[in-house]
């Protein structure tokens, strides 16, 4: 426990101390850099405001992730089973990653209106890619000789998918999910920046415009915690779902 | 009459009696490097194993032993010649008649030992629970009773190989095709596993094609050994092993007949 979380905690503390030191230099403007103590104060004073908005953002993130998860897995399985589709769609999928989400966000808001829709869509869009690509790689990672064995046992392609390929793809599915979880929050923030009534992203943008620097930092801290929390949840889910990976690693 | 039945190598076999027949088979592969021509892996291979016979296929690395097994198993088709199992020649029928055990154990790491063996039954449409129930007696009979719930990651190499073999047996096919089942084991475990397999085949007789590049292993386990040449693989010698199966190891390996056969096999491998 201490060995695992000790070093990052220490590094974080050291960074906070350095930050505090720099922020208290007389030459540093309070409006550009809020000190950690000011951020803690903002967290305390604006707690309920921050929490309400964090709740809104979290819902956007979770819905977007859920959609990406279902869509990504379904997409990967379909591409895996239908080879021409995979050959046609895979390059396009990769190319789609070159489109900057920042540019898409306002278009989505135009298309879907101000509500939760465009945010969920953007989160879903950026999370779809890592999940799809990882699941597809996982499905295709099964050794050819294992597939031969299954064929010789008389397994149908569907049985091979269910009994071998899907379980074999779970580790890479969880890698994809971890990546998706850590970038999902960014998607929601972009979505809110393009137009929203509430949410942490909007609060941060507003705080920036109104020169409430400590509140901006407090919002960022909560956004980061959210991403870390989702990442940790994905890791925990993997451990619960794949106990066999531990006995394998022990070999 | 009796003796003629026991020397089947020369017998013209009818399809009912014949386990596996391979005649005039060639197999070529496109080379990865386009500039060079196709690789001829097997050239005019003929061999047969009658029902209940253990045929050892002995050959140097790369001579096409695995290819030959996959051809028999119905996982590949020959470019020339004919392959039949129980008199059936089509790929689908061969697939249905053979249980194939690949070069590595290939156990699914997320299934426990009995779940892995039961996979063979599940693929045949048996419900998972029932499949496990039907696999259990075999675990007891073949010295795996305490390891039913172990995960593959917790099993030794020999144990994993046993589970893989039980999975092959549970497929319930008349012909077993074993591709170097013990190649990855250390020599002590390997000797123990050879005896274990000999015992298992004595209680569960099957037509067996058994691939190896270990001369002693082939002679210890097989009724007859087909020796293959380096690529392109051909059968260069057939050596009947006139010893009763299963064979007690110590007496067998020191038996003058055995030593003579070994000489013969090594000579065949050299040319
Ligand atoms: N799918 C394939 N594509 C191209 N070449 C192949 C293919 N399968 C086998 N070969 C070639 O055919 C030859 C025989 O291969 P095979 O695996 O059957 O040999 P083997 O006797 O089983 O060797 P080992 O003892 O190393 O397992 C090799 O030269 C190999 O490179
Ligand atoms: Mg081989």
């Amino acid at each position: 426990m201490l060995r695992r979380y000790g070093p990052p905690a220490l590094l974080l503390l050291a960074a906070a101390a350095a930050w505090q030191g720099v922020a208290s230099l007389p030459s540093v403007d309070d409006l550009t850099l809020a000190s950690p103590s000011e951020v803690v104060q903002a967290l305390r004073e604006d707690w309920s405001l921050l929490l309400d908005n964090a709740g809104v953002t979290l819902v956007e993130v979770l819905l977007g992730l859920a959609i990406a998860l279902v869509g990504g897995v379904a997409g990967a399985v379909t591409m895996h089973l239908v080879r021409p589709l995979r050959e046609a769609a895979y390059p396009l999928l990769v190319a789609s990653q070159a489109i900057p989400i920042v540019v898409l966000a306002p278009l989505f808001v135009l298309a879907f209106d101000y509500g939760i829709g465009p945010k969920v869509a953007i989160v879903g869009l950026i999370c779809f890619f890592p999940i799809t690509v990882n699941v597809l790689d996982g499905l295709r990672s099964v050794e050819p000789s294992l597939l031969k064995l299954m064929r010789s046992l008389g397994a149908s392609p569907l049985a091979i998918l269910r009994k071998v390929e899907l379980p074999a793809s779970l580790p890479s599915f969880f890698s994809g999910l971890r990546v998706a979880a850590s970038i999902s929050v960014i998607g929601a923030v972009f979505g809110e920046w393009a137009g929203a009534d509430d949410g942490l992203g909007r609060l941060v943008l507003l705080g920036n415009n109104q020169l409430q620097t400590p509140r901006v930092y407090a919002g960022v801290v909560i956004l980061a915690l959210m991403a870390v929390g989702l990442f940790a949840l994905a890791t925990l889910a993997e451990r619960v779902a794949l106990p066999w990976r531990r006995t394998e690693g022990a070999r | 009459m009796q003796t003629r039945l026991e020397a089947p190598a020369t017998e013209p076999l009818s399809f009912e009696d014949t386990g596996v027949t391979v005649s005039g088979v060639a197999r070529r592969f496109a080379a990865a490097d386009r500039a060079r021509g196709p690789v001829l892996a097997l050239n005019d291979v003929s061999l047969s194993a009658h029902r209940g016979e253990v045929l050892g296929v002995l050959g140097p690395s790369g001579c096409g032993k695995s290819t030959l097994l996959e051809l028999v198993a119905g996982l590949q088709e020959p470019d020339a010649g004919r392959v039949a199992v129980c008199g059936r020649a089509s790929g689908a029928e061969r697939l249905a008649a053979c249980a194939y055990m690949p070069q590595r154990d290939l156990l699914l790491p997320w299934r426990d030992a009995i779940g892995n063996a039961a996979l063979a039954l599940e693929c045949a449409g048996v419900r998972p629970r029932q499949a496990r129930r039907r696999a259990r007696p075999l675990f007891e009979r073949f010295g795996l009773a305490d390891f039913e719930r172990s995960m593959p990651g917790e099993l030794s190499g020999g144990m994993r190989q046993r589970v893989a073999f039980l999975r092959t047996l549970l497929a319930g096919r008349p012909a077993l095709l074993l591709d170097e089942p013990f190649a990855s084991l250390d020599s002590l475990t390997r000797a123990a596993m050879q005896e274990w397999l000999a015992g298992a085949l004595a209680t569960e007789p099957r037509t067996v094609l058994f691939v190896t590049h270990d001369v002693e292993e082939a002679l210890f386990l097989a009724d007859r050994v087909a020796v293959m040449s380096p690529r392109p693989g051909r059968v260069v010698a057939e050596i009947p092993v006139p010893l009763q199966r299963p064979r007690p190891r110590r007496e067998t390996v020191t038996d003058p007949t055995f030593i003579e056969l070994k000489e013969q096999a090594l000579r065949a491998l050299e040319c």
Side-chain angles (χ1 to χ4, degrees), chain B residues 29-30 39 41 60-67 103 180 213 231:
Chain B
F29 293 105
V39 175
S61 191
C63 73
K65 304 183 295 295
S66 297
T67 305
Q103 220 158 332
E180 302 194 35
H213 48 222
R231 208 178 72 201

Side-chain angles (χ1 to χ4, degrees), chain B residues 176-251:
Chain B
L176 294 188
L177 311 174
L178 313 179
D179 194 350
E180 302 194 35
F182 310 135
S184 62
L185 304 176
D186 62 272
S187 59
L188 279 180
T189 314
R190 193 169 172 158
M193 284 302 296
Q194 288 165 0
E195 286 186 64
W196 180 85
L197 179 63
L201 287 175
T203 55
E204 295 274 331
R206 303 283 160 92
T207 306
V208 181
L209 249 63
F210 179 94
V211 159
T212 179
H213 48 222
D214 179 334
V215 175
E216 205 159 287
E217 179 170 278
L219 292 170
F220 181 68
L221 285 165
D223 295 315
R224 194 155 45 92
V225 176
V227 183
M228 290 178 69
S229 67
R231 208 178 72 201
R234 272 175 312 110
V235 178
V236 288
E238 287 211 8
I239 304 173
V241 186
L243 301 167
Q244 197 68 35
R245 270 198 299 127
R247 301 158 187 157
R249 173 165 229 101
R250 278 245 302 267
E251 288 92 290

